[in-house]
Every structure is written in structure tokens, then in C-alpha cells.
Amino acid sequence: MKPQRQGIAVKLGLLLAAVGVLAAGLTGFYAYEASRDMLVHSAKQELLTSTRVLARRLSVSREEISRHLQVMSSHPAAVEALLKPGDKAAAEQVATLFTQFMGANPAYYQLRLVSASDFGLERVRVDRQDRSLLRVQGADLQEKGHYDYVADTLKLAAGETYLSRASINHERGVNAGQEQPTLQLAMPVRVAGARGPQTEAALGLVVVNVDLNGLFALLQADLPPSYQVFLANTEGDILIHPDARKTFGFDRGQRQLIQDEMAPVQDLILGKGKQVVFEAHPKSAEPAAPIVAAFIAQDIKVRSNEGRMVLGLGQPLDDVLGRSRQLAMTTLQIVGVLCLLCLLLAMVLARAFTRPINAVSDAAQRFAQGLPVGPLPLSRKDEIGSLARSFAQMQEQINQQLADLKGKQQALEHLAQHDMLTGLPNRRLLEDRLDAACAHARRHGGGVCVLFIDLDRFKQLNDRFGHDAGDAVLKIVAERLLGMMREVDTVARLGGDEFVVLLDAQTSMAHVASIADKLLNGLTAPIAYDGHQLQLGASIGIGRFPQDGQTRAEIMAKADKAMYEAKAVGQGGVRFYSTT
């Protein structure tokens, strides 16, 4: 009978060992699957946030180009060069202005002043050639009246921007952008007619050719190296892709569509959604690795032949799951050790193993489902205790990874709402706070006050001492503004040398004027830089709610106008839009 009892014990031990191995395997499987799912989900959210940030930065870049075009198209020399084609002095001033803008913006490879007459003849043209700038003159100036962007831009009102479709530049001439992907942005040059501003006639236009690849290279410089950037037009034609052979297929007589490569993007092309996040195996003639991707559809908010752009970011799935490989190896080692222990000790510890193994298995399942894990037998001194502690350590590692991912997401959100140079709130955050302040004042009574500040003599300082000096001065100005205002007030930088102060509560005109004078005094104090005493000034325009407008856009526009009126009177002035 003894051998029979030993056989039963062995079978029971093997059965219990098998149960232990199964429990350990399930624990490792559920833990790995849970970590994989959470990592992929977090990667999707991080990609979506990064795509939104990239889209916002693209809009900011477009707005900055529009501001540059506004400066150039409204310059008196541009008007004079179009009114008097033979005025060499005016043309020289325009060429100098174009050269300065192209020197400060590497993505610009051509700037032109095109006349509305003489079949769209170029009056002034500056090209980027290799690393130098070249002014094209005389017989090399070309007629551009047959191009759509000329006729379309001349129909626009003053200050409106035209944006062309992304295409390969086939225009004749020698410049760095020839046969390269390009975007054309243009703005009409208008002069008031005899009967007032409503009869303005378009004399011509200022058009800038932007290096599309160079622009995106600058925008994605802060993204992780593993991120892949995708851009498609309204119909889905691929414009930017990790594989350059797939871009601008329509220029070669073939169609390369993003929706054919990644089917989930089809809804964005059809206008059925604004964003999509997915895992995909891109269709390609060559085997392609699976990726996690996030795409958004962004409407074009200026006059353009393009209705919307589809922007996306992708990341290889292997890179996302690479962070879980070490965890998977640790889990595999734990499972292997536990299986060996179960096999050796099952006969002796069969009954003792049942309850704690079930507890650990239940904890693993609850963890995989996102529920509280519950108590674990951490105090045990045997292998089950070791398993429980390893599981707790594994859970801690996963939670730490999720916390790191959340921190990166918060950093990206902060980057989207703050100026990179000064750390001040940017236009987006300022507009949100101004909208909230107007809504609060409208609901509870009271008012809102906005001070629009533009630095005087900053351009001369920047030209003389360089951009590093300009950046240092802007940081000092930001620190001074913060030091002179309360913590409840908002000090924001719109870009360039433009700052805005949003007062937390309505105050009297006299109080606001004293605050403006205080800011002027603080900004005119000398700034020490590299052994020099730099002297700046400022012009301040003040807009108020509800006196000057009922919306954020109206108040900002009125404050901006008041600032220009103050600057027109003389540098270092303060002007209220209204005095009531």
C-alpha cells in the first residue's frame, strides 16, 4: 500500500505544481498584457498631444509669416516702388527689407514684390542661393501674371493672407528652392483711393516662397528622434513622409494617398472627424514595421486653394513596447523560479500554497482590469511572499512609467501655452484668460483692462548687437514686467518685442495710467549687457472691457490700435483707446 500512497502524493504534488505553474504563468501574462496595453494607450495620448502642439506651432509660424508680409506690404517703399517703377531708391529700400527678413528666416528662399500691371512683372526679387542671398535685377525679373497666386492675391483686402497649395516649385529661375517642396504666402499691396479707404486699389503683392521641408524640420526639432511626421493635403496626397519617395506623387503623374497607406485616416479626409489615433501596419511595397499614430485635421483659416491639412505623428510600435521588455524579462524570471519551487515543494506545501497563490492571481487579474489590487502576502518568508513582493515591485515600476509619461504630457501642454524664450504665457494662454475675464465681468459686472506693450528701438539694438543680445534683453524685460505686476495679473509675450499685461480687476483710468507710467519707467531703465548700457523704451496702448469692445478680439484690436497711435505720437507714450 505504501507505493500506492507515494504515487498519489506524487500525482497530487504534480497536480499542485501544475496549478502553481499555471497561476504563475497567468500572473506574468496578465501583468505583461496590462503593461503593454497601458504603454500603448499612453503612447497614443502622448502622440496626440504632440500632434496638437505641432499643429499649433505650425499655425503660429503661419501667423508670424503673415505678420512679416504685413510689414513688407504696408512699407511706404513698397508702395512707392509700385507707383513709380523707375524709382531705384524705393526698390533698393524694398530689397534691403527683403534681405533682412530672409536673413532672419532660413525657411524663406525667395521674396518678391510683384506689380499688378505689366503682366505681373517682378519689381523687386531676392533669392536664396546656397548660403548667400542674391538680388535679381533688370532683364532677369519675370512676368508672373499668368500664375494663379497673383490673381487670387490681388482680389484680397489689405492685410489678408493668401496661402497656396503645397507643390514642387517649377518656376523658372536660379534659387535654392527650385524643384523643391514649397508653400507660397502672399499679401496685396494697396493704397487708399481718392474717395477713402473703401476704394483701395491693389498695386501689386508681396509673395514669399517657404521651404516646406525646412519649415517642418524647424518645427519638429524638439520632438523625440523616433517620431515620424506625416502631412497630407485635402485629398490625402502625401506631402511629408519618412519615405521621401512617396511625397508629391501628383507632381510625377501618380497619386500617393495617406488613406491608402493608413486606412483610419480616411475619415479625416472625408471630413467625418477631427482626430484619429490608431495602431497600423502601413501598406508598402517593402515590409513596414507597425506603428502607433495620431492624426488631426486642421482647417486652413486664411484664403487658400486648400481646404484643410491632415497632420500626423507616428512612432514605431517596437519603440513603445521596448520600455516593457525589461519588465517582461523580470516577469519571466519570476515565473521560472516559481515554477521550479512549485515542482520541488508541491508535495509538502500543497495545501499551504493554494490560498496565497490564488490571492496573487486574483491581484494580477484585478491589476490587469485597472481595479485596486488589494492585500498581498508580502510578509511571508517563502516563495509566495517573494512572488507577491516582485509583483508589487512590478506594479510600482509600471506606475512609475505611467507617472513619467504623464509628466512628459504635462510638459508638452506647458510648452503649448508658454513662450519658449521668456517662459511667459503665450498668445493662446493669454486669449483663454482674457476670454475668462470678459465672461466673469459680463456675468458679475466690472471690467477688464489690457495693456499692449511694444518695445521701442529694439530692432536697432537687435541689428547692432545680434540676436543673442536681443534674446537676453527680452528675458530681462519679461523679468521686469513680472516684478512690477502682481501675481494675479497676467504678463504674456505675443512674439517679437510685443508684450501684453492683463489686469486681474477693473481699476480707474487714473490707476491704470499710473500702472502704465510705472511700466514705462521700469522698461526705460538701462540694461547692462556685455559691457554696454542698452537703452530701450516702450509704447503702450490700453483697451478696456466693456468700453472698447465686448469680445476678446475687439479689446485686443483696440489696445493694439491705441499702441500704434501712441507710437505715432512719439516713442515712450501711453494711449487709451477711449477716454470715457
Side-chain angles (χ1 to χ4, degrees):
M1 296 299 295
K2 187 174 181 180
Q4 185 178 4
R5 289 196 299 269
Q6 289 179 344
I8 293 174
V10 170
K11 291 179 181 180
L12 179 59
L14 292 175
L15 177 61
L16 293 176
V19 172
V21 169
L22 179 61
L26 289 175
T27 300
F29 173 76
Y30 282 125
Y32 178 75
E33 285 296 310
S35 66
R36 182 192 183 280
D37 292 342
M38 286 185 286
L39 286 172
V40 171
H41 177 74
S42 298
K44 289 179 178 179
Q45 295 304 311
E46 185 176 349
L47 280 170
L48 182 58
T49 300
S50 299
T51 305
R52 289 172 177 166
V53 171
L54 185 60
R56 177 59 185 164
R57 295 182 65 184
L58 182 61
S59 297
V60 170
S61 296
R62 196 272 305 160
E63 292 170 1
E64 184 178 5
I65 296 173
S66 294
R67 288 193 293 269
H68 293 172
L69 289 172
Q70 178 72 40
V71 172
M72 291 182 280
S73 64
S74 61
H75 197 279
V79 176
E80 194 71 16
L82 293 174
L83 286 173
K84 300 177 181 179
D87 191 335
K88 295 183 178 181
E92 187 65 31
Q93 290 184 46
V94 175
T96 300
L97 183 64
F98 283 2
T99 302
Q100 291 174 346
F101 273 102
M102 291 187 67
N105 297 274
Y108 296 178
Y109 60 72
Q110 188 179 73
L111 266 170
R112 291 171 288 164
L113 178 64
V114 179
S115 175
S117 60
D118 297 330
F119 305 100
L121 180 64
E122 297 171 337
R123 299 298 185 192
V124 180
R125 173 175 160 189
V126 178
D127 288 354
R128 189 180 301 278
Q129 186 177 18
D130 297 327
R131 296 185 179 181
S132 62
L133 299 178
L134 173 67
R135 181 183 174 186
V136 179
Q137 303 184 69
D140 292 330
L141 295 174
Q142 303 173 12
E143 296 175 353
K144 299 295 181 180
H146 57 287
Y147 285 101
D148 291 340
Y149 66 83
V150 174
D152 291 342
T153 304
L154 292 176
K155 299 176 184 177
L156 301 182
E160 286 190 311
T161 302
Y162 169 83
L163 174 65
S164 72
R165 302 195 72 176
S167 61
I168 301 297
N169 181 25
H170 295 305
E171 291 192 50
R172 181 170 55 88
V174 180
N175 58 67
Q178 193 167 1
E179 303 302 327
Q180 297 298 321
T182 182
L183 283 173
Q184 291 172 325
L185 289 91
M187 185 173 292
V189 179
R190 292 184 174 270
V191 61
R195 291 176 292 172
Q198 299 301 323
T199 62
E200 288 183 332
L203 300 177
L205 63 146
V206 176
V207 57
V208 55
N209 285 27
V210 180
D211 178 7
L212 182 63
N213 290 335
L215 177 63
F216 268 81
L218 292 174
L219 292 177
Q220 68 183 91
D222 296 329
L223 294 176
S226 62
Y227 277 19
Q228 303 171 356
V229 179
F230 302 88
L231 181 68
N233 62 17
T234 304
E235 291 82 17
D237 294 292
I238 297 175
L239 307 177
I240 293 181
H241 191 281
D243 186 355
R245 295 172 298 178
K246 297 184 178 181
T247 61
F248 293 93
F250 57 84
D251 191 70
R252 303 185 296 273
Q254 58 186 7
R255 301 295 296 276
Q256 294 280 357
L257 303 178
I258 192 68
Q259 60 267 35
D260 292 341
E261 183 173 335
M262 289 176 274
V265 186
Q266 178 73 31
D267 288 343
L268 300 184
I269 301 299
L270 297 177
K272 295 182 179 179
K274 291 291 185 181
Q275 64 185 44
V276 62
V277 184
F278 55 89
E279 295 181 46
H281 291 263
K283 297 179 181 179
S284 175
E286 301 177 0
I291 64 171
V292 178
F295 279 76
I296 64 173
Q298 186 176 34
D299 294 329
I300 304 298
K301 297 183 179 180
V302 297
R303 297 296 180 90
S304 175
N305 296 327
E306 200 79 72
R308 58 170 48 187
M309 303 292 279
V310 176
L311 177 65
L313 290 177
Q315 186 178 18
L317 185 60
D318 286 344
D319 288 358
V320 176
L321 299 181
R323 289 172 283 184
S324 65
R325 290 171 182 165
Q326 182 178 0
L327 181 61
M329 291 301 300
T330 302
T331 303
L332 184 61
Q333 293 173 0
I334 294 172
V335 172
V337 171
L338 181 60
C339 291
L340 179 60
L341 292 175
C342 287
L343 182 62
L344 296 177
L345 302 176
M347 295 298 296
V348 179
L349 305 176
R351 292 184 179 180
F353 280 177
T354 304
R355 186 174 298 172
I357 288 179
N358 289 337
V360 174
S361 179
D362 181 64
Q365 295 182 34
R366 292 177 64 84
F367 179 65
Q369 297 171 0
L371 300 174
V373 173
L376 290 171
L378 301 175
S379 61
R380 291 179 63 101
K381 304 301 182 182
D382 54 14
E383 291 75 15
I384 300 302
S386 175
L387 172 63
R389 289 187 291 274
S390 298
F391 180 78
Q393 181 182 4
M394 177 182 62
Q395 178 190 0
E396 182 179 353
Q397 292 176 0
I398 294 175
N399 290 334
Q400 182 61 43
Q401 291 177 351
L402 292 177
D404 293 341
L405 291 174
K406 184 176 180 181
K408 293 179 180 178
Q409 183 175 353
Q410 291 174 346
L412 288 172
E413 289 289 346
H414 182 274
L415 180 63
Q417 294 183 335
H418 289 78
D419 177 49
M420 296 177 61
L421 177 63
T422 63
L424 295 178
N426 60 12
R427 181 183 291 272
R428 176 183 176 186
L429 183 55
L430 171 67
E431 291 177 348
D432 291 343
R433 292 183 179 178
L434 181 52
D435 283 335
C438 290
H440 183 273
R442 194 177 295 112
R443 185 179 302 111
H444 301 287
V448 178
C449 189
V450 171
L451 285 74
F452 203 107
I453 305 170
D454 186 84
L455 300 181
D456 297 331
R457 298 184 296 277
F458 178 76
K459 182 179 183 302
Q460 295 89 327
L461 180 149
N462 210 30
D463 292 341
R464 180 180 177 185
F465 295 99
H467 294 293
D468 290 341
D471 290 346
V473 167
L474 290 175
K475 292 179 181 179
I476 293 173
V477 168
E479 292 174 358
R480 287 186 178 181
L481 288 174
L482 287 173
M484 289 184 287
M485 301 307 298
R486 303 171 300 173
E487 291 186 2
V488 294
D489 298 324
T490 297
V491 178
R493 181 188 176 213
L494 301 186
D497 59 347
E498 293 181 342
F499 296 82
V500 171
V501 173
L502 171 62
L503 299 183
D504 178 64
Q506 170 72 347
T507 58
S508 65
M509 286 186 62
H511 189 197
V512 174
S514 67
I515 293 175
D517 290 337
K518 175 183 176 181
L519 294 178
L520 281 179
N521 292 333
L523 294 176
T524 55
I527 297 175
Y529 177 80
D530 195 23
H532 298 278
Q533 292 294 320
L534 309 181
Q535 191 73 38
L536 286 177
S539 297
I540 300 178
I542 302 173
R544 296 175 294 160
F545 171 90
Q547 293 92 334
D548 300 332
Q550 297 296 316
T551 66
R552 173 251 301 165
E554 291 176 344
I555 297 170
M556 289 289 290
K558 300 300 175 53
D560 189 21
K561 184 175 181 180
M563 183 275 294
Y564 278 107
E565 291 177 355
K567 188 177 287 290
V569 174
Q571 295 182 344
V574 177
R575 176 65 61 92
F576 285 83
Y577 180 79
S578 63
T579 58
T580 59

